[in-house]
Amino acid sequence: GEAVTLQDVHDFCHADRAMQDDSLRVVYLHSKGSYHSQKENHIWRRIMTSASLHPQCLRPPDDSCDVCGAQFYIKYAIMFPGNMWTAKCSYVRKLVPPNDGGRYERLKRESIKKFLFLRMWGVLDATLDSDNVEHFGLGRYAWEHWVASLPSIKPCEIHTTDVGPMILLGKDHGKEFGPEHYKFGMAPQRIEHNLGGRRQARLRLEANPDRQFKEYYYLPGNLLKWFTLYGSDGVPDEDSWVWRDFPAGQKWKELVSLHKERAVDVMVQNSSPRYHSIYPSAEVLRGVNVTVDNHPDTINVFYQIYVTNNGRDQAMKAVEAQFEVLGRGQYQKIRMYVSFSGASRQDAETIISLCRGQPNIECRHVKSEEDKMYGMALSTLKIFCGSNPASRVVYLSNYLPGFSENHVDKIYDTRQIQTMTVSVLSEACTPSERCNVCGISFYPLPFLGFSGNMFSASCRYVDTLLPLDRFEKEMNSIAGDALVGKVTEEYTDALFRFNSRMLGSYQHSIEHWIGS
């Protein structure tokens, strides 16, 4: 493949001769389209070869550019279409080695993974065109993106701006490519053409600066690529052409000047993304005290109470319904670790009062400071099982996951919540050698999990699971891999559409953990 020859180019530019002569240039050519012998490919190959070997490409006026080819594009990706060019070795040496154990391909893929993940959560978008491996530079198309992968590139091109794809491919019957189509110039020259894309999408972008700021095919995608591939060396210069020629360039320039290679991360934080971590930090968990359980008749319950901003009354009704079940005489002793999320002081006092009103329940309040930290009880359960491998644990919550916070009637469906509570506390749901986790119903699709995410489990099984914070990070990474795999057609989402819940990203990881 092209990677082998491109690595030879990179190695040549690191050889003694090239290191001693900063003006030395190298030409990269290949047998474009020889595998698919078609008239269009023959024409395009000849035109690109001629351009790369043109005297002004081999010796640019005033040594003015780093890389020269037939045409330079910034639409979809910054590249020379067809991937033939002449380049200065002093520039090539700065590029990531193309065939260094797959590092370039891995980092290129990682930048696409970051974008697709952020798009899934509504932070960035790509409206100018559909997802495909060519535009993202995945697989064999990665090599067409390589030579222009540094923002410091000073590109130039040989063709006049009226030479479009149809002339290149010999499909414009009114025009044939000739000497009159050569005109050396610093690139990019054809800005409007390069940023074309879908017409309606382009018009919407032109009318909306905020959308321009978040459009992958403009600066966000390139910044993600530069920072992932090159770190601090991927920060464009203050006077770079990218700030001038891309929409929302000035806004991004100001952000990058302040935060350098962290600019995209800061933009994400400032955009108030819908995702958030629901698990406590290691420091918070170090302050959690759990009891060593020596009483086989004791049921250790880990109870997560979550109160949404607009569902306080429904949330507390669900809590009362569950306490009605917990207080039934059939349970000899319940030791309950209670975590609050979003609850007011009045709510907390009500819950403590409910605990004290049940003689068979010993309540332990595990304090949760943040409104969105509704993974505290599950994290505490994991810690408990580390000290009590022979115990049984029950996980309860007063809400049903998977619904928008606007649907409080579904989140706090009291009847369903009470039924699930009865099921997981029942003797029939006690873990055994044949069954290490039990819930009201288990589903293998769209992911392995229990209805309502309430369950009774053996600590020996829980001990085999990852800690919750690490599990969340792993699930985020897997979600990104799945999104890239869909583009490359390694995976399909024909059965269930990929979204943050199906893929178990961030707060949705809580539903995937027990079945992982």
Side-chain angles (χ1 to χ4, degrees), residues 453-468:
N453 198 36
M454 296 187 219
F455 56 83
S456 174
S458 72
C459 275
R460 285 193 175 87
Y461 171 72
V462 170
D463 263 349
T464 66
L465 304 179
L466 289 175
L468 275 299

Side-chain angles (χ1 to χ4, degrees), residues 2 48 122 140 171 194 196 203 230 289 315 361 371 375 397:
E2 288 189 73
M48 286 192 298
R140 68 183 181 91
K171 292 183 177 181
N194 287 350
L203 292 174
Y230 298 103
N289 294 315
I361 299 176
D371 288 352
S397 63

Side-chain angles (χ1 to χ4, degrees), residues 339-457:
S339 299
F340 307 147
S341 178
S344 67
R345 178 173 293 184
Q346 180 182 350
D347 297 332
E349 290 174 354
T350 299
I351 294 163
I352 292 170
S353 176
L354 287 170
C355 282
R356 290 171 178 168
Q358 305 292 345
N360 66 320
I361 299 176
E362 174 195 346
C363 274
R364 300 193 172 201
H365 175 210
V366 180
K367 190 176 181 182
S368 178
E369 298 288 351
E370 298 178 25
D371 288 352
K372 298 291 186 181
M373 198 187 289
Y374 47 86
M376 185 72 180
L378 211 52
S379 299
T380 308
L381 179 150
K382 173 67 174 170
I383 293 173
F384 175 89
C385 282
S387 303
N388 299 278
S391 293
R392 168 199 180 188
V393 288
V394 172
Y395 176 73
L396 298 177
S397 63
N398 73 321
Y399 72 98
L400 299 177
F403 299 106
S404 164
E405 289 192 3
N406 295 324
H407 296 97
V408 293
D409 55 329
K410 293 181 179 179
I411 296 174
Y412 301 116
D413 185 328
T414 302
R415 186 174 178 180
Q416 280 201 58
I417 290 170
Q418 192 173 43
T419 301
M420 291 175 184
T421 303
V422 171
S423 297
V424 298
L425 287 169
S426 68
E427 189 69 26
C429 221
T430 301
S432 64
E433 290 184 7
R434 294 182 57 198
C435 170
N436 48 25
V437 190
C438 176
I440 191 169
S441 53
F442 179 79
Y443 292 96
L445 293 174
F447 52 84
L448 303 180
F450 290 91
S451 294
N453 198 36
M454 296 187 219
F455 56 83
S456 174

